Amino acid sequence: MAKEFKKGYNYQYDSTARAYEQPIISPVPSTEPLKRQRKAQKKKLDIAFGMQLSFCGVVLFTSAFLYINSYASLRAKQGQLIELKNNMIAVKSAISETQATISEKLNLDYIRERAANELGMREPLPHQIVYIELPEESYTSYEK
């Protein structure tokens, strides 16, 4: 059981603990203006930190965007390069085939065989050959 005295002392009977005096809580001077200033300073620091963080985010996003964009354009250019190389190989192959065909058809043996078999032609006999002479005025001569 405890008795309270007018001065604020508490005492418990049947207890071995000594009585203690409760400290009187004195009113603390108001620090509201200091807290407000600190809050304002903290708010400014928070805004500055937020701006720095936002700037870092924008820089990071921009650099990632530029990297991805350059990588995509590089891949597209590599695809175009491969396609152009394949076209170049196909054109070189067609040129080689055409040159082979032309050289085959310009062969005199091929021309004689085709003329004899397909057109029914034969070589002229010696008495059928006629030589003509053209005057120099009828053709152009170049100096070497």
Side-chain angles (χ1 to χ4, degrees):
M1 299 190 109
K3 271 191 174 182
E4 293 185 20
F5 297 102
K6 291 181 182 179
K7 292 186 179 180
Y9 293 106
N10 287 335
Y11 183 74
Q12 293 182 342
Y13 294 101
D14 300 327
S15 172
T16 57
R18 292 185 175 189
Y20 62 92
E21 189 176 317
Q22 288 183 347
I24 299 173
I25 300 172
S26 63
V28 178
S30 177
T31 58
E32 290 290 327
L34 294 176
K35 287 182 181 177
R36 287 183 187 162
Q37 287 176 356
R38 288 182 186 166
K39 285 184 181 179
Q41 289 175 352
K42 189 175 181 182
K43 201 173 202 179
K44 286 181 182 177
L45 289 176
D46 287 345
I47 290 173
F49 180 72
M51 294 295 284
Q52 290 174 350
L53 194 61
S54 299
F55 179 73
C56 288
V58 168
V59 168
L60 181 66
F61 175 77
T62 305
S63 61
F65 176 75
L66 291 175
Y67 176 75
I68 292 171
N69 187 24
S70 63
Y71 184 75
S73 64
L74 177 68
R75 292 291 291 172
K77 296 291 183 187
Q78 285 177 341
Q80 290 175 355
L81 181 64
I82 290 170
E83 184 179 333
L84 288 174
K85 283 183 179 179
N86 290 340
N87 288 343
M88 185 177 70
I89 290 170
V91 168
K92 282 184 178 180
S93 175
I95 289 172
S96 296
E97 288 177 15
T98 305
Q99 285 177 344
T101 305
I102 289 172
S103 65
E104 178 185 322
K105 297 201 180 203
L106 288 180
N107 187 3
L108 290 179
D109 294 332
Y110 174 79
I111 293 173
R112 283 188 190 126
E113 181 183 324
R114 188 157 180 203
N117 294 337
E118 292 181 16
L119 301 176
M121 298 173 83
R122 49 194 166 123
E123 289 188 37
L125 298 174
H127 70 279
Q128 293 174 328
I129 298 174
V130 177
Y131 295 101
I132 59 169
E133 290 187 24
L134 296 175
E136 192 174 323
E137 299 167 358
S138 65
Y139 60 91
T140 306
S141 64
Y142 296 99
E143 294 182 24
K144 295 183 181 180

